[in-house]
């Protein structure tokens, strides 16, 4: 056995090297099986791995040494085919173990030691609340043991876990349970995963947890044992998550023909987690935020979030696990595809139209700004330095839109055929986006070569439509032009292939031709001719058939479509665009120092929505909401956060004043005094009721909010009222916040809401309050959820104060980011994009934001995660 060694734990890691898609080469070695043995201890866990390795026939170098990734590992032993290797037989560096001269097939045993309790990065094996958890995506397995830590090395894993039974009565890993036993004062459990998987899908959970159990009968008659593992005392918060899991399993069988493939399915909830959840094979690890819920502690949005994330991680079992990525450039192959699948699932749970609107809102709030800034990148990036920085809205949300466009082009039947072919061809393989698209093309006969530009080009295409009508010939001609702004590294764009779903309406709003027709736009400018039709009003981009910006629709046409269109998305979108035009006029007036006047048409639109609200309260709630400040900012060449905020608040207040009586009546009419229900209809009624409450509060009538805060019996209504109280300069503000804190201070997830509400308040002293809250005994910058609740909420959801002309908001974020980076670089890096939008603002703000980015980059020992994001933001 070699002398004990530890790789470099230097505070200054080397700058990350760029990884490029066009430099991909197959691994030199493959690993067929992995046998892992863990001796768990918070301070010094021993990990022994036994790998059956063989040289890859597809490798390019027949004499390549074996290179294993490894970070922050203490090497304790190394054996090749049973022979201990001395230090002269290998090279150990800060990020790799290299062994030259290995045979073509061999067994390698590696013993390492790690310190889970010191792992504040929450990547690899770490301790949270006294229990052990892993997070290995994207490159966390290399912090557990030395291994070729890349997605295209797939192996079958057997895991044996030893631990003290008192502190770790529960021992979980991937696959199916095989054996359990005792060894002296410790107990052990063995798990075996029959399916080959990449190392990023490895999982281990051990600790003092309790299970909420259920079963699921598959379509073939197999019974699957289900369990959600939580801390004692949280068992009564898992019912909705379990229902969501079972509904997801049934839906995937029905819609995609995918049956679950193991004997057990486990979910473990942890409070300290960098992400939302992780799809490890058979053992999903979840942020508690997406598991724990009861009406008293969770909002409608929380319940919907659980539906989304539970289904997303479960659907990964086939789109990500059984068929995985060849390399990390293919990340959207699993994430974009699986987001599309979870969107389809959640749309089936309630109103498909309202769900589509919510997804588009999210895309525009996060991905459109990303596409317009220095961090813009294609759905499949061409290079990266730290792959963790590419878990972005572009890869996820825009990636899902790309799959949705494919679904539109092929049609539901051919899309399903393509999915079936994809699974049949590539089960238990690591593949590429080209493999997915080829399966779709072969199954449907639709040529997708041009469509691949959606994976290769960054940026949001912009469409402008003109039309003309010849009454004598009864001929209608629609001309559509597309262009895409330059993005970093891609100054000139080729035209995309865009599916443009349209309808033609007559003067009453009826469809001239029933349903939507899909036009294929694939050139910079195209004409589409419709013969023998009456004078039509075009309804464009139905269902938001492509992630584009449609510009230049005349105001009168928007007004007509918002009232008459049979497509709910276009009806909503037209109202939003109509409101946006007038709000931007108010923004311009505010910039000129002129009095702000609200367009009467906006008041009339809200009034009409209230009158029609009984038909579909959920849709009416969406239609009532004015465009958000971030959306308005996205429409401006130079963003003025002060003018945007002033204009929007003026509009809200004026609507509240002019429509006080119908708003109060609707607030009462849509109240539900009975038991809380988690269904689309009930959620729609609550959403509409609270939209009315918001307008009343904006007009200065805060009493209804206080009354609702005192009387409400579910968190949705309590929180809606508290948000309004916290935003008001009223004596009722602080007592409500104090009462909420005293009641919920022992519930971490509810306390996150308390922090976030104060961080997003529009009051002048908000930044001072945020700084005070950052010193609060319940604030912990090591906990990602609490960080996101306070700091990210302020930076991303309070533009008027984050972008204060003094630059104080920027300084606060940079100071906090630097402190967090020393603890958890991944979490710190995700805060950088708030400063990366500097080009959109005036010269003074640009200079202030750039200065903070430069200050961040100058910090000694800055993590590679934050280093990459800050340097890209300055490009």
């Amino acid at each position: 056995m070699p002398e004990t060694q530890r790789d470099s734990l230097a505070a200054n890691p080397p700058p990350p090297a760029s990884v490029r898609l066009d430099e991909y080469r197959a691994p030199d070695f493959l690993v067929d099986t992995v046998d892992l043995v863990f001796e768990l201890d918070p301070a010094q866990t021993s990990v022994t791995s036994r790998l059956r390795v063989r040289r890859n026939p597809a490798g390019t170098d027949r004499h390549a040494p074996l290179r294993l990734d490894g970070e922050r590992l203490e090497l304790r032993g190394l054996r090749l085919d049973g022979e201990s290797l001395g230090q002269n037989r290998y090279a150990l560096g800060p990020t790799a173990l290299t062994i030259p001269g290995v045979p073509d097939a061999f067994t390698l045993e590696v013993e390492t030691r790690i310190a889970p309790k010191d792992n504040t990065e929450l990547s690899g094996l770490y301790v949270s609340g006294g229990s052990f958890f892993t997070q290995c995506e994207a490159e966390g397995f290399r912090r557990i043991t030395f291994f070729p830590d890349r997605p295209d090395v797939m192996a079958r894993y057997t895991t044996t876990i030893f631990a003290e039974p008192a502190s770790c009565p529960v021992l979980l890993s991937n696959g199916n349970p095989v054996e359990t036993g005792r060894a002296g004062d410790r107990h052990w459990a063995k798990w075996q995963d029959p399916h080959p998987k990449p190392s990023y899908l490895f999982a281990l959970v051990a600790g003092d947890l309790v299970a909420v159990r259920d079963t699921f009968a598959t379509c073939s008659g197999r019974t699957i044992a289900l369990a959600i593992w939580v801390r004692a005392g949280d068992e009564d918060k898992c019912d909705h998550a379990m229902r969501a899991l079972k509904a997801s399993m049934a839906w995937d069988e029905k819609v995609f023909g995918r049956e679950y493939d193991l004997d057990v399915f486990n979910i473990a909830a942890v409070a300290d987690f960098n992400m939302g959840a992780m799809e490890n094979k058979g053992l999903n690890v979840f942020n508690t935020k997406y598991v724990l819920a009861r009406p008293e502690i969770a909002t409608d949005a929380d319940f919907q979030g659980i539906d989304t994330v539970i289904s997303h991680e479960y659907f990964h079992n086939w789109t990500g696990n059984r068929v995985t990525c060849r390399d990390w450039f293919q990340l959207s192959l699993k994430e974009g595809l699986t987001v599309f699948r979870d969107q389809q699932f959640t749309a089936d749970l309630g109103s498909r139209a309202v769900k589509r609107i919510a997804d588009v809102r999210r895309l525009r709030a996060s991905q459109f700004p990303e596409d317009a800034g220095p961090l813009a990148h294609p759905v499949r990036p061409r290079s990266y330095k730290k792959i963790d920085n590419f878990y972005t809205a572009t890869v996820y949300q825009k990636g899902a839109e790309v799959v949705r466009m494919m679904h539109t082009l092929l049609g539901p039947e051919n899309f399903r055929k393509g999915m079936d072919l994809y699974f049949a061809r590539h089960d238990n393989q690591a593949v590429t986006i080209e493999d997915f698209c080829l399966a779709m093309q072969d199954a449907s006969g639709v040529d997708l070569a041009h469509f691949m530009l959606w994976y290769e080009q960054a940026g949001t295409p912009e469409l402008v439509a003109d039309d003309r009508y010849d009454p004598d010939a009864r001929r209608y001609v629609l001309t559509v032009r597309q262009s895409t702004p330059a993005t970093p590294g891609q100054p000139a764009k080729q035209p995309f292939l865009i599916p443009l779903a349209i309808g033609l309406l007559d003067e009453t709003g009826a469809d001239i031709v029933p349903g939507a027709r899909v036009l294929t736009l694939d050139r910079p400018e195209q004409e589409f001719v419709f013969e023998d039709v009456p004078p039509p009003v075009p309804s464009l981009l139905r269902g938001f058939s492509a992630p584009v910006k449609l510009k230049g629709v005349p105001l009168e046409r928007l007004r007509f479509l918002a009232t008459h269109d049979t497509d709910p998305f276009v009806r909503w979108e037209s109202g939003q665009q109509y409101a946006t035009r007038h709000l931007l006029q108010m923004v311009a007036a505010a910039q000129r120092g002129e009095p702000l006047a609200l367009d009467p048409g906006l008041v009339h639109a809200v009034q009409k929505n209230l009158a029609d609200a009984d038909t579909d309260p959920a849709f009416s709630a969406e239609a009532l909401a004015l465009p958000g400040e971030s959306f308005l900012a996205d429409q401006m060449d130079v963003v003025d956060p002060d003018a945007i905020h002033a204009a929007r608040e003026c509009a809200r207040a004026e609507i509240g004043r002019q429509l006080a009586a119908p708003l109060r009546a609707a607030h009462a009419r849509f109240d539900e005094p009975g038991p809380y229900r988690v269904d689309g209809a009930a959620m729609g009624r609550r959403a509409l009721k609270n939209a009315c409450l918001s307008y009343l509060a904006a007009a200065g009538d805060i009493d209804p909010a206080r009354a609702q805060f005192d009387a409400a019996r579910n968190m949705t209504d309590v929180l809606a009222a508290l948000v309004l109280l916290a935003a008001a300069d009223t004596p009722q503000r602080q007592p409500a916040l104090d009462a909420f804190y005293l009641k919920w201070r022992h519930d971490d997830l509810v306390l996150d809401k308390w922090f976030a509400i104060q961080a997003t308040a529009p009051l002048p002293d908000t930044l001072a309050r945020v700084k005070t809250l950052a010193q609060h005994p319940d604030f912990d910058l090591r906990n990602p959820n609490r960080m996101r609740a306070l700091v990210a909420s302020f930076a991303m959801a309070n533009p008027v104060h984050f972008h204060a002309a003094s630059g104080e908001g920027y300084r606060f974020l940079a100071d906090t980011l630097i402190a967090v980076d020393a603890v958890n670089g991944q979490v710190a890096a995700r805060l950088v994009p708030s400063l990366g939008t500097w080009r959109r603002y005036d010269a003074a703000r640009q200079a202030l934001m750039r200065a903070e980015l430069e200050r961040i980059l100058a910090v000694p020992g800055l993590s590679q995660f934050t280093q990459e994001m800050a340097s890209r933001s300055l490009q």
Side-chain angles (χ1 to χ4, degrees):
M1 179 180 294
E3 181 180 339
T4 298
Q5 301 176 54
R6 183 181 295 274
D7 73 338
S8 173
L9 300 180
N12 293 304
S18 290
V19 182
R20 301 184 184 281
L21 174 59
D22 57 13
E23 295 176 357
Y24 170 84
R25 68 173 200 174
D28 293 312
F29 292 88
L30 300 176
V31 180
D32 292 322
T33 62
V34 182
D35 288 277
L36 293 168
V37 178
F38 288 81
E39 291 278 359
L40 293 180
D41 181 273
Q44 48 180 13
T45 287
S46 171
V47 183
T48 302
S49 67
R50 187 172 187 271
L51 316 178
R52 292 182 61 86
V53 186
R54 59 185 169 90
R55 201 173 288 275
N56 184 5
T60 57
D61 185 353
R62 303 301 302 164
H63 303 287
L66 176 68
R67 184 188 183 282
L68 305 177
D69 300 298
E71 294 178 4
R72 305 190 182 192
L73 301 175
E74 182 181 342
L75 180 62
R76 304 282 295 178
L78 188 62
R79 297 179 180 84
L80 195 152
D81 286 335
E83 177 189 355
S84 293
L85 300 185
Q87 294 182 38
N88 64 327
R89 296 281 302 279
Y90 62 86
L92 181 61
T95 60
L97 170 66
T98 304
I99 309 173
V102 296
D104 288 346
F106 55 94
T107 298
L108 185 71
E109 294 177 72
V110 185
E111 182 184 348
T112 57
R113 191 160 63 185
I114 53 180
K117 73 177 180 62
D118 298 330
N119 183 2
T120 60
E121 289 277 356
L122 311 183
S123 173
L125 179 66
Y126 64 93
V127 173
S128 172
S131 295
F132 295 84
F133 298 88
T134 57
Q135 172 55 32
C136 292
E137 188 175 359
E139 296 178 338
F141 192 72
R142 64 188 62 188
R143 302 185 68 176
I144 294 173
T145 186
F146 290 100
F147 193 79
D149 189 13
R150 47 188 289 172
D152 54 357
V153 176
M154 301 175 68
R156 288 178 169 83
Y157 285 67
T158 300
T159 304
T160 306
I161 309 165
F162 289 82
E164 294 180 349
S167 60
C168 291
V170 175
L171 306 174
L172 307 173
S173 190
N174 304 94
N176 296 317
V178 178
E179 296 179 74
T180 60
R182 293 190 67 92
D185 60 352
R186 296 168 75 79
H187 73 144
W188 58 270
K190 178 181 286 189
W191 292 77
Q192 193 170 69
D193 189 347
H195 301 283
K197 65 173 179 284
S199 54
Y200 82 85
L201 289 171
F202 173 77
L204 178 152
V205 172
D208 190 5
L209 303 171
V210 294
V212 174
R213 299 182 184 274
D214 206 332
T215 60
F216 178 79
T218 70
C219 56
S220 68
R222 296 168 50 243
T223 298
I224 311 300
L226 310 178
I228 298 177
W229 298 88
V230 295
R231 297 169 300 185
D234 285 337
E235 302 96 313
D236 61 342
K237 304 172 185 175
C238 299
D239 289 350
H240 187 75
M242 186 63 81
R243 286 195 298 269
L245 173 59
K246 296 178 71 172
S248 302
M249 298 175 81
W251 186 89
D252 212 18
E253 289 184 347
K254 177 182 177 182
V255 177
F256 283 95
R258 299 295 105 190
E259 182 176 336
Y260 186 63
D261 53 3
L262 292 171
D263 299 332
V264 300
F265 188 89
N266 289 307
I267 289 174
V270 57
D272 298 293
F273 203 64
N274 286 341
M275 304 181 186
M278 180 60 208
E279 70 266 20
N280 318 294
K281 185 70 179 178
L283 175 55
N284 286 188
V285 179
F286 270 66
N287 191 317
T288 50
K289 175 179 173 64
Y290 295 108
V291 173
L292 306 181
R294 286 198 320 261
E296 315 91 79
I297 64 168
T299 65
D300 290 346
D302 293 327
F303 282 105
Q304 291 169 331
I306 289 171
D307 287 333
T308 295
V309 179
I310 289 279
S311 65
H312 181 92
E313 305 308 331
Y314 175 75
F315 295 153
H316 265 314
N317 189 62
W318 279 93
T319 49
N321 296 5
R322 284 287 287 262
V323 185
T324 196
C325 301
R326 184 196 72 177
D327 54 71
W328 288 119
F329 295 101
Q330 320 300 326
L331 181 59
S332 194
L333 176 66
K334 72 182 187 77
E335 296 301 348
L337 176 56
T338 305
V339 169
F340 169 76
R341 276 158 46 75
D342 78 51
Q343 289 176 347
Q344 295 293 91
F345 166 73
T346 49
D348 283 347
L349 295 180
S351 167
R352 184 164 287 273
V354 171
K355 170 61 177 170
R356 187 66 185 132
I357 290 168
D359 290 338
V360 173
R361 279 193 190 277
R362 183 180 182 190
L363 181 81
R364 288 173 170 169
S366 57
Q367 198 281 319
F368 276 21
E370 190 169 272
D371 249 351
L375 299 176
H377 60 275
V379 172
R380 178 168 61 183
R382 304 298 298 180
S383 67
Y384 64 80
K385 292 184 178 180
K386 296 299 291 182
I387 187 56
D388 305 80
N389 289 336
F390 280 87
Y391 283 73
T392 62
T394 297
V395 167
Y396 280 69
Q397 274 69 54
K398 188 173 182 178
E401 294 298 319
V402 173
V403 175
R404 184 181 296 274
M405 285 188 289
M406 201 178 298
H407 184 274
T408 299
L409 290 167
L410 272 58
E413 184 177 342
N414 279 334
F415 185 86
R416 170 61 191 272
K417 289 178 181 177
M419 291 295 296
D420 289 346
L421 182 59
Y422 174 64
F423 293 130
R425 279 182 178 174
H426 301 298
D427 191 15
N428 290 323
Q429 294 179 16
V431 300
T432 66
I433 286 169
E434 282 83 359
D435 293 318
F436 174 70
C437 292
L438 184 60
M440 289 294 171
Q441 181 172 290
D442 289 349
S444 66
V446 176
D447 186 351
L448 295 174
H450 189 172
F451 185 79
M452 288 297 296
L453 282 175
W454 282 103
Y455 287 105
E456 307 302 332
Q457 289 188 156
T460 304
E462 297 176 355
L463 304 186
V464 177
D466 296 312
D467 58 347
R468 64 184 186 272
Y469 182 73
D470 183 342
D472 295 329
R474 288 175 52 87
R475 178 184 295 115
Y476 174 70
V477 180
L478 176 69
T479 302
V480 186
R481 296 184 297 277
Q482 65 162 298
S483 61
T484 305
T487 57
Q490 292 183 335
K493 308 288 185 176
Q494 299 179 54
F496 287 92
L497 190 159
I498 299 172
L500 181 62
I502 76 160
L504 299 179
L505 308 181
D506 66 18
E507 61 184 7
T508 70
D511 281 301
I512 294 171
V513 178
R517 174 178 174 181
V518 178
L519 307 179
T520 301
L521 180 66
D522 58 5
R523 296 191 296 276
E525 181 173 328
Q526 285 173 258
E527 281 192 352
F528 302 94
V529 179
F530 301 83
E531 302 285 0
D532 194 26
V533 293
V537 177
S539 166
L540 304 180
L541 205 63
R542 287 189 155 190
F544 198 67
S545 59
V548 302
K549 294 180 180 179
L550 178 62
K551 295 193 165 187
V553 182
L555 270 176
E556 285 309 308
R557 186 171 289 176
L558 290 174
R559 187 199 297 269
F560 176 86
L561 294 170
T563 305
H564 295 95
D565 204 320
T566 55
D567 181 84
F569 175 81
V570 176
R571 196 162 68 248
W572 169 80
E573 170 72 347
S574 298
Q576 291 287 295
Q577 291 295 340
Y578 183 87
T580 297
R581 300 274 185 90
H582 289 291
L583 287 170
L584 289 176
Q585 290 174 5
M586 294 174 69
V587 170
Q591 291 175 314
R592 294 190 298 267
E594 298 172 357
L596 301 185
L598 182 65
D599 177 76
L602 288 181
V603 179
H604 175 73
V606 173
Q607 189 172 27
K608 187 176 188 310
N609 268 312
L610 288 172
D612 298 340
D614 291 279
T615 303
D616 188 347
F619 180 82
S620 292
E622 291 286 354
L624 277 179
L626 292 176
E629 293 182 27
S630 63
F631 181 78
L632 294 172
D634 196 42
Q635 313 307 306
M636 300 181 68
D637 294 328
V638 178
V639 179
D640 186 337
D642 296 316
I644 290 173
H645 182 72
R648 191 173 184 276
E649 288 304 294
C650 174
R652 292 178 63 242
E654 191 60 29
I655 291 170
R657 280 192 290 270
Q658 293 191 34
L659 300 179
L663 285 166
R664 278 179 171 270
H667 179 260
R669 187 166 81 254
F670 288 99
D671 187 31
E672 290 197 323
Y676 177 87
R677 293 183 295 117
V678 185
D679 59 55
M683 288 181 176
R685 293 176 66 86
R686 283 189 290 272
L688 182 59
K689 174 185 71 173
N690 289 320
C692 295
L693 189 70
S694 176
Y695 278 119
L696 292 169
D701 186 1
I702 204 69
D703 290 340
R706 181 69 215 206
Q708 179 168 307
F709 178 79
D710 291 336
R713 292 181 295 174
N714 64 76
M715 184 57 71
T716 301
D717 289 344
V718 169
L719 212 66
L722 185 60
V723 165
L724 300 174
L725 291 167
D729 185 9
T730 171
Q732 302 181 68
R733 178 182 193 273
Q734 198 58 48
L737 287 168
D738 292 343
F740 189 88
Y741 174 79
L742 287 173
K743 183 173 183 178
W744 299 110
R745 65 186 183 275
H746 299 303
D747 190 302
D748 290 338
L749 294 178
V750 181
L751 201 57
D752 286 340
K753 303 178 193 302
W754 182 77
F755 278 97
I757 286 171
Q758 296 175 82
T760 55
L763 297 176
D765 65 344
T766 292
L767 178 55
R769 287 178 176 270
V770 169
K771 289 180 177 179
T772 300
L773 288 169
Q775 305 302 317
H776 194 280
D778 289 311
F779 181 77
D780 184 355
L781 60 77
R782 296 170 299 178
N783 178 261
N785 282 357
R786 194 56 47 85
M787 272 295 305
R788 286 187 281 261
L790 181 65
V791 181
S793 292
F794 173 72
M796 298 177 184
N798 197 338
V800 69
H801 291 307
F802 175 65
H803 292 289
S806 66
E808 291 182 67
Y810 306 147
R811 284 192 293 276
F812 168 73
L813 179 65
D815 288 342
T816 309
L817 190 155
I818 290 167
V820 174
D821 186 75
V823 176
N824 190 328
Q826 289 188 40
V827 171
R830 293 189 178 109
L831 298 174
V832 174
S834 294
L835 293 169
T837 60
W838 59 270
R839 287 179 180 83
R840 301 294 312 282
Y841 293 85
D842 58 84
R845 286 185 172 93
Q846 285 190 19
L848 291 167
M849 296 169 85
R850 282 184 59 90
E852 296 305 329
L853 287 167
E854 289 165 354
R855 181 162 71 92
I856 291 166
L857 276 173
V859 172
L862 192 70
S863 74
Q864 293 180 342
F865 304 102
T866 303
Q867 183 185 93
E868 179 185 19
M869 293 296 283
S871 60
R872 285 176 59 209
S873 295
L874 282 169
Q875 291 175 359

